[in-house]
Amino acid sequence: MIPRSVDEVTAAFAGYRYLADRPLAVAIHLSRSLARPLFLEGEAGVGKTEVAKVLAQVLDTELIRLQCYEGLDANHALYEWDYARQMLAIRLIEAGGGQDRASVESIMSREYLLARPLLQAVEFSSSEGRPAVLLIDELDRADEEFEAFLLEILSDFQVTIPEIGVVRAAAPPVVVITSNRTREIHDALKRRCIYHWLDFPDLDREVEIVRAKVPDIDERLARQLAEAMSDLRSLELFKPPGVAETLDWARALGVLGASELTSEAVSDTLGVVLKYREDVEAVTQRGVESLVRTSS
């Protein structure tokens, strides 16, 4: 069932073990109702990408992901010609003695086109009769030139391929854009989106998230982990751990058979939570016992 209200969005996401608070549920609902891209910004590991994944499950549709990176250009995001197949086709045409215009033009058809995420999203609705969820992940990693190109695509969801023609989406994709804010995204793009800052959850919500994602965990241990994470995020770390690391920590302790968070357990698993040597050293020098509380 497609959610028709904020409460239905919350319930639908909870059905897939994603606990969306009301501000996030409102942003998702408005994005769907107004047919506007959802722009999620926040620290790494707070669940931005997961929103798109769960939204695709809720809508029972395909998730098409464009992972952004420095140097990403239109060809890698839209389409590329399959040059290897084209060269093979040309050789076969020449071997068969067919060099007429129709034979040559045939290698510039859709058959020889490699669709990349943006074209896949545009074509999906036409072929499947429903829009895909298009995840444009970590847009801040791409260059500003790509932003300008993306702005044009998001305005009308049509792609012009000179050799083939214009490809239009029968229904616009459901777009989710994420950013870790390593640089500012241009206002022109943000203005076309429903914006939401996804922050670290408070302690009680993080306990709920851990228990939803790792059902076998003891509630006491889940609270100890949430408290330890809260302490870690209050430190001056190079990379504060996100909710993803909390869940990894819970699963790692489960593998080790730990039923509570002890100084020894923290020392053994600190590399699950912290990903930089400087951060590990800072916490170790401070004393791992400071992360252990006796929650009831």
Side-chain angles (χ1 to χ4, degrees), residues 189-205:
L189 192 145
K190 282 187 172 182
R191 282 198 303 268
R192 287 160 173 77
C193 303
I194 302 298
Y195 177 86
H196 181 72
W197 173 266
L198 202 57
D199 208 346
F200 292 119
D202 62 29
L203 194 144
D204 288 338
R205 179 164 288 274

Side-chain angles (χ1 to χ4, degrees), residues 222-242:
R223 183 162 295 275
Q224 284 183 311
L225 292 178
E227 290 170 341
M229 280 299 195
S230 178
D231 289 344
L232 286 171
R233 291 169 192 149
S234 69
L235 303 178
E236 294 292 330
L237 298 179
F238 182 76
K239 168 64 173 64

Side-chain angles (χ1 to χ4, degrees), residues 20-88:
D21 58 16
R22 183 169 178 81
L24 175 58
V26 169
I28 294 169
H29 178 59
L30 291 177
S31 171
R32 290 285 298 121
S33 300
L34 301 176
R36 302 277 290 277
L38 176 63
F39 191 101
L40 298 175
E41 208 165 38
E43 298 288 346
V46 294
K48 302 184 297 296
T49 300
E50 193 69 14
V51 169
K53 293 179 179 179
V54 174
L55 185 56
Q57 292 178 296
V58 168
L59 299 177
D60 190 24
T61 191
E62 188 81 8
L63 174 69
I64 299 175
R65 179 175 182 172
L66 173 61
Q67 179 62 54
C68 297
Y69 55 87
E70 186 177 354
L72 177 65
D73 59 18
N75 287 338
H76 291 91
L78 265 177
Y79 67 87
E80 292 181 283
W81 289 103
D82 191 340
Y83 295 117
R85 288 189 63 212
Q86 286 178 317
M87 291 301 298
L88 178 60

Side-chain angles (χ1 to χ4, degrees), residues 113-183:
L113 203 67
L114 296 174
R116 299 308 183 194
L118 294 182
L119 181 57
Q120 290 173 12
V122 169
E123 291 184 323
F124 182 87
S125 63
S126 299
S127 61
E128 300 296 328
R130 64 186 189 279
V133 171
L134 171 62
L135 169 61
I136 302 173
D137 212 9
E138 298 183 323
L139 179 58
D140 53 319
R141 291 181 179 270
D143 302 323
E144 292 185 11
E145 292 79 3
F146 182 75
E147 272 187 61
F149 160 75
L150 187 62
L151 190 62
E152 181 181 352
I153 292 293
L154 295 180
S155 65
D156 49 22
F157 290 107
Q158 66 178 36
V159 177
T160 300
I161 304 172
E163 299 84 356
I164 297 175
V166 178
V167 181
R168 295 183 177 86
V174 178
V175 181
V176 178
I177 303 172
T178 74
S179 168
N180 294 334
R181 207 175 185 181
T182 57
R183 69 171 179 85

